[in-house]
Amino acid sequence: FIVVLFPIIVALVLNSTAGGRPSFAGHNVTTAFLRTAAARGISGACVFLALFVTCHQIVLHLRNYHRPNEQRHIVRILFIVPIYGLASWLSLLSYNGYIYFDTIRDCYEAFVIYNFLSLCFEYLGGDRKILLAINGLPVKGNCWTGTCLFSSMKYSNGFLRFCKQATLQFCF
């Protein structure tokens, strides 16, 4: 991984002023390597290794499906690895079809973000338990956590609904 990436990074840093295109000995570094059989082989091997490991994890979750409310979201999140890996690898193999692969990948990525939020809510006991625990507490304003604009608010059902709606709006 480092052997492959290091020359590309060095070329990008050293030749960043060469017309905006990284070049090494007069060749476009990024596209020159990406079009080789070695790049396709290395990326394909990494994708299939990730597919194997992730599918193993998914099978283990499905075999031991004891907490379906949580594991449903975990399996959906785990499926991002094969989808992301295959889409990236197929985009590398077929440059003309990358827009279709990237569209599928981006749609599933939004679905995974929503499932991550749902999994967090599930870990905390669901909407009702979260609301009972935080209802009426003031929101601590902090710019680091992104709540500086909410410092005058108190946690409520509306605030929790706003968080869900904002996530859904971002995703879809």
Side-chain angles (χ1 to χ4, degrees):
F1 180 73
I2 292 176
V3 173
V4 173
L5 233 62
F6 186 71
I8 293 173
I9 293 171
V10 168
L12 287 172
V13 171
L14 293 178
N15 297 318
S16 62
T17 58
R21 280 186 260 152
S23 61
F24 184 74
H27 299 289
N28 190 337
V29 175
T30 53
T31 58
F33 177 72
L34 293 178
R35 296 188 187 274
T36 64
R40 293 174 179 180
I42 292 169
S43 62
C46 291
V47 165
F48 285 107
L49 177 67
L51 279 171
F52 175 75
V53 171
T54 306
C55 288
H56 177 69
Q57 291 292 316
I58 291 170
V59 167
L60 289 178
H61 271 286
L62 294 177
R63 275 192 194 154
N64 302 305
Y65 204 65
H66 304 298
R67 302 184 81 172
N69 292 340
E70 294 172 6
Q71 286 177 299
R72 173 181 62 215
H73 299 295
I74 292 170
V75 169
R76 290 174 182 169
I77 292 169
L78 283 173
F79 265 114
I80 192 70
V81 176
I83 290 173
Y84 221 91
L86 283 173
S88 298
W89 187 56
L90 291 173
S91 295
L92 183 65
L93 295 179
S94 170
Y95 183 73
N96 294 332
Y98 82 93
I99 190 72
Y100 305 111
F101 303 128
D102 284 356
T103 303
I104 294 168
R105 185 189 69 198
D106 290 344
C107 290
Y108 195 77
E109 184 180 2
F111 181 66
V112 166
I113 291 170
Y114 173 72
N115 275 286
F116 180 72
L117 177 71
S118 299
L119 179 65
C120 290
F121 280 1
E122 196 64 43
Y123 279 154
L124 294 172
D127 295 348
R128 194 167 185 82
K129 282 190 179 181
I130 295 171
L131 187 59
L132 290 173
I134 66 171
N135 195 20
L137 294 174
V139 178
K140 294 180 182 175
N142 186 346
C143 289
W144 181 255
T145 58
T147 57
C148 55
L149 299 175
F150 303 122
S151 60
S152 63
M153 294 178 65
K154 292 188 178 201
Y155 290 111
S156 66
N157 189 22
F159 185 80
L160 196 60
R161 191 179 317 117
F162 168 75
C163 291
K164 278 185 164 182
Q165 286 175 344
T167 304
L168 284 172
Q169 186 177 6
F170 171 75
C171 293
F172 302 107

